[in-house]
Amino acid sequence: MLRISCFLCVALLGLSFTANATTTSLIEQLTRLSEQFSTALIYDNALLEGLEVEPVQATSLQSTLNKWLTPHQLSWQKTAAGIVIFKTITPVISISKTNNTSLLEEVTVTEQLPTSSNGDAYNSNYQQAVNYAQQVKSDYAGESEVALGAMLTQLPAENLAEALQAVPGLSITRDRGEALNINAMGLGAEYQLTLFNGHRLANTENVRNSNQYGQQHRFDIFSAGLFSNIAVYKTSNSSLPSGAVGATVNLLSDDPLAYQDNNLQVMLTGAALEGERNFQPSFGLTANAKSADGDLGVIFKMNYENRLQRQFQFESWHWGENNGAPKPYQWPDINENTLVPTDGLALTIENEDRTRATYYGDLSWQATERLKINSLWFRSDTDFSFDEHRISINPQSQSAQAHINTENNSLNQFMFNAVNAKTSREESNLYYANQTIQVDANWQPSVHLPLTLSPFYSSSKANSKTKEPITRVHVATSPMQADVALQNTSVDNFNFTGNLGLVSSYSHISQMSKRTINVLNEIQEWGIDSHFSAENSWGLQALDIGFLHSTQSYHYARKDISLSPSALEQLPNLDGRWLEPIANQFSAGFMNAEVQPWLIPKSDLLQLYDIDLPFAEMSESDRLNSYKVSFASKEGYISSQWQFEQVTLSTGLRYSNTLSETQGSQLTKTGGVAPINSSNNDSAWLPSVNLKWQPSQYWQWRAGFNRALNRPNYSDLNPKLHVNSGGLPYAELGNPNLQPVIANTSTLSVNWQQQSVSAQLLGFNHHMNNFIVEQAASFNYQGQHYNSLQRTNDGQAQVNGLQASSQWQLPQYSQWFLQSQLSASITHINKADVSTSAGNHFKVEGVSDWTGNLRFLVSDKKWQAAFNINYRSDFLEQRDISNNASSYVEDYTSTDLSFSWFYSANASLRLDLFNATNETLTRTAKTDDASSLLKAEEFGRRVVVSLSLKI
């Protein structure tokens, strides 16, 4: 507890003062300030003794305190008793943990980290938020990170995943320039788990291009400021649901009863994409209120956002070695291991118009002194409208000539005399919804018994569907010449000799198709947690016991229909009624030559020409692409915390029993399709041990071991057959008999903490059994031979690395700024290898050797500036053991900037610049002997201006 040696509370009004001296005692100035504003100031005399400040004409209590206290690394907090002045450095955690309650916050710091918080206390001061996060992390025995308040809201971020980049060791995967998934502890998104107040969340899916992320949580449903407190467990915690070998991210709701005042905050935002004149509006509202007796509290948050995004890209779907490609794609007089394109070469303009509305309400009732009931409701509704324009070349033209890039051992220049090309348009309207309802209670049966029981219920449902069928129309070009020239990361030429702005340059409609996809993901969890606090001679501090019943169901339904070849032949000849110019000229930094405009099919030609393309009964292909997967789990755990002088010991054991069921259709040996209903039962004991040793007030050492499991992704269990649309024949076969990946993880870390700087070095090692890998097979389907890829548990993997991070409050102050904070983290993966029983060795997919983050924030009482730089080195995105080349994402750096102006305590203006450097995201196709450009994407800069008003 803070020792209070001076308490000033003088009820004098209207006093003002001015000192002529250059500097004077801070204590004297605070005494006069207390008299002037009739406010109690609470501080320790020993903390302020000897400090001097420049006297000022005090017109505002808050600004005057900031000016005097910040240069001395002091801060203040408004409480019911008055204003408490304290050191902004992270408090040293006492070895004797007799009182775990922080004086400055209504959050209880326990071994399990806070379950709810008053984020309002740390929303305005970044340094204060960082210090408190460090305090909570220091008190926890395992490997964890905490992000709260200003750490999430005062750095530029378009969604929650981008805000989480502030957590050391976390990196992100981007889709169309925006963060989508998180990666941590040397593993990709499928090995992480996202929870909401300790309970699983249903996930939305990408139903536009049929990619099935399954349990990889999509963070694009959360705005950055929706949560004020997030706990990241870098290793598994026995008190939380199983399912993560990497990190467990626990999104924590605010406690309505922890807020001292009723508030209403409104945010108005306008955003613009580079090169566009129109602004997309956004609106946000946050309100909290509490009853007069303080027993009933409510929080409501909502956010509406409209976003326009445009992506320019070059893409080439597949490359393969020349000797394994089908004959139409093989090139004469070229070495067998030279990479050649086995599918289209294309330029694409992707236009996205998105509206997202999120709602969040939390009601808390202190029914009695020992009973508290909480209920929470969250909903996110997102509408996507896509309009994609593409011009593509099929490289199988026999009249073409090509040149080899000798350095990369791949074809890089193509000259087509009678090009086989087409222009395409894809239109889609998608709808994503997520709704989560949670009810829980905290009950202490007896005032004399330090036992708390917490029953809970959570229901989460996500629906992702095509609001209207996805329509695709392809128009073939007339015979003409075309040139394509590629470099390592750029396109030198993509040009046609004909005038693509004339209808006469096109031949006929070659394809008209529709697709519908509907994905429903539902999760229900109920159970009870119990917490027993103890103080005894044996060192036992706390004991936790709990039970969880969880059901997860996932239903993926897809239907396709196309206009038959005979119906296509009967369509009228092309004229100006069928085609129209692209709305935006293709322009991207990776293009080294101007791209000629081209015509695309008019919007919704099927409706325009009354072309009937109705969906009938499910076809054989539809049945192979539709499936259901469910998990039913029963889990129990026990964990304890012990204190022995300078050592804290945390031990836990979790038991998990899961019944998984898969329903769908599977290809038979004779080439037919038959229904399948498969079930598997898996159980595992998951122990964890964490040891924290604090030899001095500045040093902490941690060591830990835990066992965790990672269930297969839903799509991996699908007994599907997926055949690619063109080029090199290959297929993917699902496996409903997959078992969970089991990982043994060990960690060792050292933390050093001084007054203005803290640093951590963490080493970790994952050893994974039942690792899911792909095996090669071959089969015939509809008269054609295919190389197939099927997932199995035939692998063992080892991932180890080092992670370093630091927080530094810069000891520099001037008349221009009062606070500056520099944070940095870097992770290096020393090894990420997989081996199979067949003796194969390869790298783990989705793992970058290097990831890093640099954050800087500087502020004064009226303004704040910040930047966030994230780096991720190249990584294997998708390994291919057929003749295709594997896909790699090249190293990428993102830079975001922000500037805020604080007009008053209740009004502020903010400017954010996302993707400031507009770096191209590049993918390459690689084998052991060759490489080639696979895909290049450019998203453009994005400017966001926001006005925040607090009422």
Side-chain angles (χ1 to χ4, degrees):
M1 292 287 294
L2 176 68
R3 180 174 60 88
I4 302 174
S5 59
C6 183
F7 181 90
L8 303 176
C9 186
V10 182
L12 298 176
L13 300 172
L15 297 179
S16 62
F17 63 92
T18 305
N20 296 323
T22 304
T23 60
T24 186
S25 167
L26 174 59
I27 293 178
E28 294 179 5
Q29 295 295 326
L30 291 176
T31 301
R32 296 179 182 179
L33 192 67
S34 173
E35 296 172 351
Q36 178 182 355
F37 290 97
S38 300
T39 302
L41 300 181
I42 306 168
Y43 54 86
D44 186 342
N45 264 344
L47 184 67
L48 307 186
E49 189 175 1
L51 299 182
E52 295 193 349
V53 295
E54 295 181 3
V56 296
Q57 182 71 36
T59 59
S60 167
L61 176 65
Q62 292 88 349
S63 61
T64 304
L65 285 173
N66 287 337
K67 185 172 183 63
W68 284 343
L69 300 181
T70 306
H72 296 289
Q73 298 180 347
L74 298 170
S75 190
W76 58 273
Q77 176 69 37
K78 184 179 179 181
T79 69
I83 292 179
V84 179
I85 297 175
F86 57 93
K87 197 73 172 174
T88 58
I89 308 307
T90 305
V92 176
I93 304 301
S94 173
I95 300 300
S96 175
K97 299 174 62 176
T98 58
N99 189 349
N100 285 333
T101 303
S102 169
L103 173 66
L104 309 177
E105 169 62 85
E106 304 211 17
V107 177
T108 300
V109 182
T110 69
E111 174 60 19
Q112 298 180 17
L113 299 187
T115 56
S116 60
S117 76
N118 176 5
D120 183 62
Y122 297 101
N123 278 337
S124 59
N125 190 300
Y126 185 86
Q127 183 62 52
Q128 187 174 331
V130 169
N131 289 342
Y132 184 69
Q134 288 289 327
Q135 174 185 338
V136 177
K137 174 183 175 179
S138 177
D139 197 47
Y140 185 64
E143 300 295 345
S144 68
E145 299 286 348
V146 176
L148 65 137
M151 297 173 67
L152 298 168
T153 59
Q154 292 193 7
L155 287 173
E158 288 199 276
N159 65 27
L160 188 60
E162 295 181 11
L164 283 172
Q165 293 177 119
V167 175
L170 262 63
S171 62
I172 59 175
T173 301
R174 294 180 179 268
D175 180 42
R176 298 187 303 277
E178 185 179 11
L180 188 68
N181 308 118
I182 61 168
N183 312 278
M185 295 296 286
L187 295 168
E190 65 269 31
Y191 294 96
Q192 323 302 328
L193 179 63
T194 301
L195 305 174
F196 192 179
N197 290 326
H199 312 302
R200 291 183 179 90
L201 278 167
N203 295 342
T204 53
E205 276 285 17
N206 183 351
V207 297
R208 178 168 171 253
N209 58 15
S210 305
N211 286 345
Q212 296 162 56
Y213 294 101
Q215 298 182 83
Q216 301 180 31
H217 189 78
R218 293 169 56 98
F219 281 89
D220 54 353
I221 69 170
F222 296 128
S223 58
L226 190 62
F227 297 99
S228 300
N229 194 342
I230 297 174
V232 179
Y233 301 84
K234 294 186 177 179
T235 55
S236 65
N237 185 309
S238 59
S239 63
L240 295 174
S242 63
V245 171
T248 299
V249 178
N250 195 11
L251 312 175
L252 301 171
S253 62
D254 294 344
D255 182 359
L257 296 178
Y259 284 80
Q260 296 181 5
D261 302 314
N262 298 337
N263 293 288
L264 175 63
Q265 184 170 346
V266 178
M267 179 173 289
L268 305 175
T269 301
L273 185 65
E274 182 181 20
E276 293 288 328
R277 295 184 179 180
N278 62 317
F279 276 71
Q280 298 89 52
S282 298
F283 170 79
L285 181 147
T286 300
N288 70 277
K290 195 160 56 172
S291 63
D293 58 7
D295 291 339
L296 187 67
V298 63
I299 294 176
F300 178 77
K301 298 181 181 181
M302 71 88 58
N303 178 269
Y304 170 84
E305 176 190 40
N306 176 246
R307 165 175 169 165
L308 176 67
Q309 183 67 41
R310 182 168 297 112
Q311 175 176 301
F312 297 97
Q313 68 184 28
F314 164 80
E315 55 187 331
S316 174
W317 291 272
H318 303 106
W319 287 67
E321 293 183 332
N322 192 45
N323 66 325
K327 287 187 178 180
Y329 294 91
Q330 290 184 1
W331 297 75
D333 304 323
I334 290 178
N335 292 336
E336 291 184 347
N337 62 355
T338 300
L339 272 184
V340 301
T342 58
D343 212 329
L345 308 170
L347 296 181
T348 303
I349 304 175
E350 185 178 280
N351 302 286
E352 173 200 326
D353 190 357
R354 180 184 71 186
T355 59
R356 179 182 63 193
T358 55
Y359 313 90
Y360 161 81
D362 195 343
L363 179 67
S364 186
W365 178 36
Q366 189 73 50
T368 68
E369 185 179 353
R370 300 195 303 274
L371 176 62
K372 181 179 179 182
I373 302 174
N374 304 289
S375 60
L376 179 145
W377 171 72
F378 166 78
R379 184 173 180 88
S380 173
D381 294 277
T382 307
D383 283 282
F384 289 92
S385 177
F386 287 96
D387 192 0
E388 180 185 272
H389 312 148
R390 176 180 292 143
I391 185 163
S392 59
I393 294 173
N394 190 332
Q396 69 178 0
S397 302
Q398 294 301 300
S399 58
Q401 298 179 3
H403 296 281
I404 298 176
N405 183 325
T406 54
E407 180 181 352
N408 296 335
N409 193 27
S410 66
L411 298 187
N412 71 319
Q413 291 186 19
F414 307 87
M415 292 171 286
F416 302 94
N417 292 323
V419 68
N420 182 354
K422 62 185 177 185
T423 178
S424 307
R425 186 172 198 167
E426 178 184 302
E427 297 174 276
S428 57
N429 288 282
L430 315 176
Y431 173 69
Y432 294 172
N434 184 295
Q435 179 169 285
T436 299
I437 298 173
Q438 295 182 352
V439 180
D440 63 81
N442 292 287
W443 177 48
Q444 187 178 355
S446 170
V447 68
H448 304 292
L449 182 66
L451 172 67
T452 302
L453 301 177
S454 302
F456 59 84
Y457 171 79
S458 176
S459 174
S460 185
K461 180 170 71 173
N463 188 213
S464 312
K465 63 181 181 179
T466 50
K467 206 170 185 179
E468 297 176 4
I470 302 171
T471 61
R472 295 186 177 97
V473 180
H474 300 168
V475 181
T477 62
S478 301
M480 66 180 71
Q481 292 182 352
D483 295 333
V484 177
L486 308 176
Q487 286 196 42
N488 296 342
T489 59
S490 61
V491 180
D492 283 344
N493 195 21
F494 197 102
N495 192 47
F496 293 76
T497 56
N499 187 346
L500 298 181
L502 301 177
V503 177
S504 58
S505 296
Y506 302 90
S507 174
H508 62 280
I509 299 287
S510 59
Q511 180 182 336
M512 301 183 82
S513 64
K514 288 183 178 181
R515 171 176 293 173
T516 63
I517 297 177
N518 193 331
V519 184
L520 182 62
N521 186 202
E522 295 181 283
I523 298 176
Q524 288 193 350
E525 295 189 335
W526 58 269
I528 187 169
D529 296 315
S530 64
H531 176 77
F532 179 77
S533 300
E535 290 283 348
N536 57 51
S537 58
W538 296 94
L540 178 64
Q541 297 284 302
L543 186 66
D544 295 273
I545 301 175
F547 170 79
L548 167 69
H549 183 277
S550 175
T551 58
Q552 306 172 53
S553 63
Y554 182 89
H555 184 191
Y556 185 95
R558 177 177 134 183
K559 296 181 72 174
D560 290 272
I561 188 170
S562 299
L563 207 61
S564 65
S566 59
L568 288 171
E569 291 179 0
Q570 296 175 9
L571 294 177
N573 294 330
L574 289 176
D575 55 32
R577 298 172 298 172
W578 292 86
L579 304 175
E580 65 182 6
I582 57 176
N584 301 95
Q585 175 71 30
F586 192 97
S587 176
F590 59 81
M591 290 295 307
N592 296 328
E594 187 175 351
V595 176
Q596 62 196 120
W598 69 87
L599 300 182
I600 56 174
K602 283 189 175 179
S603 179
D604 200 0
L605 280 180
L606 284 83
Q607 181 179 353
L608 182 64
Y609 282 90
D610 196 22
I611 298 173
D612 189 19
L613 200 58
F615 288 94
E617 295 296 325
M618 293 188 70
S619 66
E620 184 178 276
S621 176
D622 295 337
R623 290 197 299 272
L624 285 170
N625 281 295
S626 301
Y627 64 100
K628 296 180 181 180
V629 171
S630 65
F631 295 128
S633 302
K634 295 178 181 178
E635 298 186 340
Y637 74 90
I638 181 171
S639 65
S640 61
Q641 183 176 338
W642 306 75
Q643 186 69 48
F644 307 101
E645 296 295 333
Q646 299 174 329
V647 176
T648 303
L649 175 65
S650 173
T651 62
L653 179 64
R654 191 176 192 91
Y655 174 74
S656 175
N657 183 281
T658 301
L659 175 66
S660 62
E661 295 184 300
T662 302
Q663 299 177 35
S665 298
Q666 193 173 42
L667 192 69
T668 65
K669 294 182 178 179
T670 59
V673 174
I676 184 174
N677 192 333
S678 175
S679 63
N680 293 286
N681 190 281
D682 298 296
S683 61
W685 292 93
L686 307 173
S688 65
V689 179
N690 292 293
L691 185 71
K692 182 183 73 172
W693 174 45
Q694 186 161 343
S696 70
Q697 62 176 346
Y698 300 121
W699 292 92
Q700 286 184 341
W701 291 80
R702 286 178 173 84
F705 169 83
N706 67 82
R707 196 165 186 251
L709 63 82
N710 211 99
R711 294 183 181 90
N713 224 350
Y714 300 121
S715 59
D716 294 339
L717 296 168
N718 172 18
K720 65 184 176 180
L721 163 68
H722 174 70
V723 180
N724 71 312
S725 57
L728 187 68
Y730 84 101
E732 296 176 1
L733 293 169
N735 184 357
N737 297 314
L738 286 176
Q739 297 177 335
V741 176
I742 301 295
N744 294 317
T745 300
S746 54
T747 57
L748 179 65
S749 69
V750 57
N751 292 266
W752 175 68
Q753 192 169 290
Q754 282 280 9
Q755 285 191 344
S756 60
V757 63
S758 64
Q760 180 193 54
L761 181 64
L762 165 67
F764 57 88
N765 178 274
H766 303 292
H767 183 81
M768 290 172 277
N769 297 313
N770 293 342
F771 195 76
I772 299 175
V773 296
E774 290 180 328
Q775 68 176 6
S778 62
F779 67 96
N780 290 299
Y781 176 60
Q782 295 183 346
Q784 188 168 5
H785 178 78
Y786 288 93
N787 295 319
S788 72
L789 306 175
Q790 186 173 40
R791 304 246 180 200
T792 71
N793 289 110
D794 191 41
Q796 287 192 344
Q798 186 148 350
V799 178
N800 57 60
L802 291 172
Q803 175 191 303
S805 61
S806 66
Q807 298 273 1
W808 186 22
Q809 184 179 349
L810 301 180
Q812 297 180 3
Y813 305 94
S814 71
Q815 60 179 337
W816 302 107
F817 62 88
L818 295 176
Q819 173 182 267
S820 57
Q821 173 77 31
L822 180 67
S823 304
S825 66
I826 187 170
T827 301
H828 176 55
I829 303 302
N830 302 314
K831 184 178 183 180
D833 295 338
V834 181
S835 60
T836 67
S837 59
N840 298 317
H841 298 273
F842 46 88
K843 288 198 66 173
V844 177
E845 294 177 346
V847 177
S848 293
D849 288 342
W850 294 93
T851 57
N853 177 270
L854 180 66
R855 307 174 302 283
F856 178 72
L857 182 144
V858 59
S859 65
D860 194 45
K861 60 184 179 180
K862 286 295 184 181
W863 60 268
Q864 174 180 285
F867 68 75
N868 198 0
I869 300 176
N870 293 278
Y871 170 77
R872 188 176 182 187
S873 66
D874 65 307
F875 63 91
L876 172 64
E877 181 180 42
Q878 184 174 6
R879 175 176 168 264
D880 202 320
I881 58 176
S882 66
N883 187 61
N884 285 322
S886 298
S887 169
Y888 286 79
V889 177
E890 296 303 308
D891 60 297
Y892 183 79
T893 303
S894 64
T895 303
D896 302 321
L897 312 172
S898 72
F899 181 84
S900 300
W901 176 55
F902 307 111
Y903 175 76
S904 69
N906 298 323
S908 63
L909 187 67
R910 175 166 167 170
L911 173 68
D912 289 278
L913 177 61
F914 296 102
N915 193 25
T917 56
N918 195 23
E919 184 172 339
T920 299
L921 182 61
T922 305
R923 288 175 171 83
T924 55
K926 295 182 182 179
T927 64
D928 293 338
D929 303 302
S931 65
S932 180
L933 178 64
L934 186 68
K935 191 174 186 178
E937 304 169 82
E938 190 170 295
F939 321 107
R941 298 174 182 88
R942 183 173 170 81
V943 179
V944 178
V945 180
S946 56
L947 173 65
S948 178
L949 301 173
K950 191 172 183 179
I951 302 173

